[in-house]
Amino acid sequence: MTKHVVAAAADVPPGERLKVDVAGTPVAIFNLDGEFFGLMDRCPHMGGSLCEGRLIGLVESEGPGRYKYSRGGEIVRCPWHGWEFDIRTGKSRFDPSRWKTRAYAFDVAKGEELVEQAYEAETVDVSVEDEYIVVDI
Amino acid sequence: MPAVAPGAIDCDLHPAVPNVKALLPYFDDHWRDMIVQRGVHELDSISYPNNAPMTARPDWKPETGKAGVDLDRLRAEALDGFQTSLAICNCLYGVQLLYTEDMAYAYARAVNDWMAAEWLDKEPRLRASIVIPPQNPEYAAAEIDRLAGDKRFVQVLMLVMDEMPLGRRRYWPIYKAAERHGLPIGIHAGSAYRHPTTPVGWPSYHAEDSAAQAQAFQTTLSSLMTEGVFAEFPELKVVLLESGFAWLPSHMWRLGKFWRGLRMEIPWVDRHPMEIAKEHVRLTINPRDVPPSAEAVERLMNHFESDEMLLFSTDYPHWQFDGDDALPDGISPALAQKICQDNPLATYPRLKETVS
Amino acid sequence: MNVKTETRTPTSADPSVKLAIADCDIHPSPKSVEKEIYPYLEERWRKHNDIYGLILRQPYQSGPAYPKGQPDAARRDAYVPGGGRPGSDVKYMGTHHLDEHNVQLGVLNPLRSGQGLQNVDFAAAYCRAVNDWQISHWTSQDARLKGSVCLPYEDAALSVEEIERRAGDPNFVQAFMLIRTSEPMGQRRYWPIYDALAAANMPLAVHAFGFGGTPSTSSGWPSYYIEDMVAHAQSAQSMVMSLVMEGVFERAPGLKVVVVEAGFAWLPPLAWRLDRIWEKNRAELPHVKRPPSEYIRDHIWLTTQPFEEPDRRSHLKDTMEWIGWDKLLFATDYPHWDFDDPARLPLPKVDKATRENFFLGNALDLYGLR
């Protein structure tokens, strides 16, 4: 397993997202309240870029006419056909067990710790003062 | 051509009200007087012009008068003719088409009492659907409650085209009552003619009215599913009567495709419409809008991914096939057996009860 | 929103996307009606639009009574950099879509074109302006693009004028109507249109939507946007039925009709049903001399977006065989959401020639562009 540095933490403020490459795979990074989550940036339906999609909350229901809303901004809709994906898990809303996109677990590492370790950083310059989004692959 | 299994259950036949005089004994004094005084005509829907070819098969049509009015002929032609063990009567007298809800309610009660006395009492193989006035869903629910105790009534009858799409909440008192009594909702071809018969306007020809029923069934299923009728009434079953069935798989593909992207609009729909249909929707086998080759019929049957959805029917006395050619080529004997007996019994639990 | 692309993501997953393709349903929009459409409108109609706007047989001044699933019903990534609604810039369309997917022929179907306006004279003027705009802003700017002659179809005489104005103009490959007309399209008020199209050897595209004023189901107006979208298939079926059962194809045997953006899997069951009912009702239909399925086979084409998605590709293959692979025209509906990517389409396996025709050849043949 190698630690990949994919972006500087400051590049993805809360509520924002960034499209990066992780070992050759396009990945969308989302910042939910300071936590970083990644989804393979290809919708399992027809390959649309999830990073280009709108964020909504989770809309559930206990029956017709009854709406239960939670987790604002944590669901991304593919811009092509509107499929909803849970940013935290990569699972679709309509059929979580069968339809999902790969989810990446990101950590934040301090630059000063990183420089002591081995890592890959294809496009990111690591400096000891800053924080970085990293993933082990 | 696959044979109809002896003992099949015919899920759609049409005893006809010969004329309003036959119904008069079943009204109360007030309505009887009004009907006579106002000269209320026969409630014969334009869906079935009396002399149009598909309204009555030539060998099922009497010399004079309507087809389907004579019990002896129905016994010989429909029951004995197909060796059916049980048959469900769906009376198509145009009660649903009246604008005055109180009058419609009176007619519904009269038709149901007439059906019980003139048909069910006289022929033990017959069962019937409860005719209701959709003009007032509370009246309709009351009529269901009134008759549900008579186990020979096995279904609630509606027409596929009404004031609003049938999934809308306005109609839910009907579904609530039906579910409470374990009665399927039978949605039959036909219209209350509140709207043009196609979504692009009034057609010119009776043939188009007939053909357009299929589109009406499609949008009706869209409505029932997106409105969450099966979420709200999880025990409810819906039977599409005289609807055709070849269109069903492709319609479910389309509805399901859009649901995957628009789930948030209707979050109470938690599975693919095809899964809902397999559990809650049944369709009668005649008329059958199937491809001309047996090989293609076999492929079409695979598209259903279920052998439980189709129910045998003759649609007597409507003209949908000749002779005893009631089942399409391309259906396996095993599937024919399910269509003729297993599926109807599973859909209408009351059929299993002996009625003395 | 802050989206940065660090690396270029290859979208092509299928080698055949390197083939040139036709896209038979692209939706251009003006960046500004005042700058782009007004030059083609008389002063009288510019003033009219400023005061009254485009009034259709539908409730709101702008926006539908069934709000859509995404704003503008458009892909988020189709907004033009530097400003501009999706599909409003010919250069951006050229790179973002035509280059990207190797589109050799892109058929333009303008949707907000004045068709179906309550004011029929305004409709005719606006359609004419939109047709002029298609030439000036699109087809003269990119040779891959071809226009559709928008017709003010609720007035047949004015439509015939527009057809005759554009007949033979290589900027256009077809005429254009919307499915939900005020009466079923086969009825005689529209016959002069079909006569003129047949005389001009111009195919007719009929696209989903339209506000003829009839509820979108024969049992009244549904509640939800999803129902409204799905119901285009039922409207299309009724439209095809009307053309066949009114004898339009007997009257105009040269007429070719393309059903656009209404799906396609519904066509075989419709054809089987019409055949059966026609057989029983010959007495009512002496003007329908052949089985409906034959007219459908000879006269109806369909674009493939929104693509059909059964669980099993073999079921889709059955359906496409029953329709006839040569009757299907690939389309993306760019820039709308609901976009079908040619590289990613779950197409059943067929031989190379059939596949190439599906993506390009059928359109070239239909539009006489081989």
Side-chain angles (χ1 to χ4, degrees), chain A residues 17 19 45 77 80-81, chain C residues 2 4 69 309 338-339 344:
Chain A
R17 80 284 296 270
K19 198 186 301 191
H45 182 210
R77 288 185 80 209
W80 284 4
H81 303 91
Chain C
N2 174 24
K4 282 190 247 178
E309 294 180 28
D338 206 17
F339 172 80
R344 298 275 180 169

Side-chain angles (χ1 to χ4, degrees), chain C residues 227-281:
Chain C
E227 292 179 89
D228 186 47
M229 289 299 289
V230 174
H232 293 303
Q234 285 77 52
S235 298
Q237 290 167 55
S238 291
M239 182 270 291
V240 169
M241 171 182 78
S242 177
L243 290 175
V244 171
M245 300 299 234
E246 298 269 7
V248 167
F249 299 121
E250 273 298 324
R251 188 189 168 85
L255 183 64
K256 297 177 178 160
V257 174
V258 188
V259 183
V260 185
E261 206 182 306
F264 55 86
W266 46 262
L267 187 66
L270 176 70
W272 303 327
R273 185 176 182 89
L274 291 178
D275 274 358
R276 198 182 48 79
I277 290 174
W278 167 80
E279 269 165 33
K280 291 280 192 303
N281 288 286

Side-chain angles (χ1 to χ4, degrees), chain A residues 11 13 16-21 26 42 45-47 51-54 77-83 98 123, chain C residues 1-7 9-10 69-71 75-77 307 309 311 337-341 344-346:
Chain A
D11 286 343
E16 296 293 339
R17 80 284 296 270
L18 180 69
K19 198 186 301 191
V20 297
D21 178 289
R42 278 193 211 121
H45 182 210
M46 282 204 212
C51 204
E52 311 278 348
R54 298 189 144 240
R77 288 185 80 209
C78 177
W80 284 4
H81 303 91
W83 287 22
R98 266 185 75 200
T123 57
Chain C
M1 186 173 99
N2 174 24
V3 178
K4 282 190 247 178
T5 307
E6 303 287 7
T7 57
T9 305
Q70 307 207 38
R75 293 167 54 182
R76 297 300 303 155
D77 58 343
F307 206 63
E309 294 180 28
D311 271 351
W337 76 280
D338 206 17
F339 172 80
D340 279 353
D341 184 344
R344 298 275 180 169
L345 202 68

Side-chain angles (χ1 to χ4, degrees), chain C residues 24 151 173-179 185-186 190 193-195 197-198 201-208 235-244 247-250 252-263 266-267 295-303 323 326-329 362 366-367:
Chain C
C24 295
L151 301 180
V173 290
Q174 64 188 6
F176 190 69
M177 290 175 65
L178 301 173
I179 291 176
M185 263 179 63
Y190 302 109
I193 296 176
Y194 310 133
D195 294 344
L197 289 173
N201 199 22
M202 194 186 284
L204 173 65
V206 193
H207 191 286
S235 298
Q237 290 167 55
S238 291
M239 182 270 291
V240 169
M241 171 182 78
S242 177
L243 290 175
V244 171
V248 167
F249 299 121
E250 273 298 324
L255 183 64
K256 297 177 178 160
V257 174
V258 188
V259 183
V260 185
E261 206 182 306
W266 46 262
L267 187 66
Y295 291 114
I296 288 171
R297 180 97 192 97
D298 290 344
H299 294 276
I300 304 289
W301 281 254
L302 311 117
T303 63
I323 294 169
D326 56 331
K327 309 314 295 286
L328 295 165
L329 309 172
N362 294 342
L366 173 66
Y367 295 125

Side-chain angles (χ1 to χ4, degrees), chain C residues 126-350:
Chain C
Y126 208 92
C127 282
R128 181 175 175 176
V130 166
N131 294 335
D132 288 337
W133 164 81
Q134 287 181 72
I135 299 173
S136 62
H137 282 73
W138 297 93
T139 61
S140 67
Q141 306 295 316
D142 191 318
R144 295 171 287 188
L145 295 173
K146 293 293 184 191
S148 302
V149 181
C150 297
L151 301 180
Y153 45 79
E154 300 298 358
D155 185 304
L158 292 174
S159 296
V160 170
E161 268 183 43
E162 190 62 17
I163 293 167
E164 290 172 352
R165 185 174 291 123
R166 311 292 178 176
D169 184 337
N171 284 289
F172 299 100
V173 290
Q174 64 188 6
F176 190 69
M177 290 175 65
L178 301 173
I179 291 176
R180 290 186 186 141
T181 45
S182 63
E183 292 178 62
M185 263 179 63
Q187 293 191 345
R188 61 200 63 206
R189 60 177 285 169
Y190 302 109
W191 287 359
I193 296 176
Y194 310 133
D195 294 344
L197 289 173
N201 199 22
M202 194 186 284
L204 173 65
V206 193
H207 191 286
F209 287 97
F211 298 99
T214 301
S216 54
T217 90
S218 48
S219 194
W221 292 100
S223 300
Y224 298 108
Y225 171 63
I226 183 176
E227 292 179 89
D228 186 47
M229 289 299 289
V230 174
H232 293 303
Q234 285 77 52
S235 298
Q237 290 167 55
S238 291
M239 182 270 291
V240 169
M241 171 182 78
S242 177
L243 290 175
V244 171
M245 300 299 234
E246 298 269 7
V248 167
F249 299 121
E250 273 298 324
R251 188 189 168 85
L255 183 64
K256 297 177 178 160
V257 174
V258 188
V259 183
V260 185
E261 206 182 306
F264 55 86
W266 46 262
L267 187 66
L270 176 70
W272 303 327
R273 185 176 182 89
L274 291 178
D275 274 358
R276 198 182 48 79
I277 290 174
W278 167 80
E279 269 165 33
K280 291 280 192 303
N281 288 286
R282 299 295 304 273
E284 192 186 30
L285 305 167
H287 51 281
V288 186
K289 300 193 191 323
R290 294 194 285 144
S293 59
E294 287 186 20
Y295 291 114
I296 288 171
R297 180 97 192 97
D298 290 344
H299 294 276
I300 304 289
W301 281 254
L302 311 117
T303 63
T304 56
Q305 188 279 338
F307 206 63
E308 307 282 3
E309 294 180 28
D311 271 351
R312 290 184 196 279
R313 218 170 279 201
S314 62
H315 296 174
L316 181 60
K317 191 170 186 188
D318 291 339
T319 298
M320 292 168 97
E321 280 173 13
W322 290 331
I323 294 169
W325 278 89
D326 56 331
K327 309 314 295 286
L328 295 165
L329 309 172
F330 176 74
T332 68
D333 197 34
Y334 181 90
H336 291 160
W337 76 280
D338 206 17
F339 172 80
D340 279 353
D341 184 344
R344 298 275 180 169
L345 202 68
L347 197 63
K349 259 192 167 50
V350 282

Side-chain angles (χ1 to χ4, degrees), chain C residues 113-130:
Chain C
S113 61
Q115 296 183 294
L117 292 180
Q118 294 189 24
N119 184 322
V120 172
D121 293 318
F122 186 28
Y126 208 92
C127 282
R128 181 175 175 176
V130 166

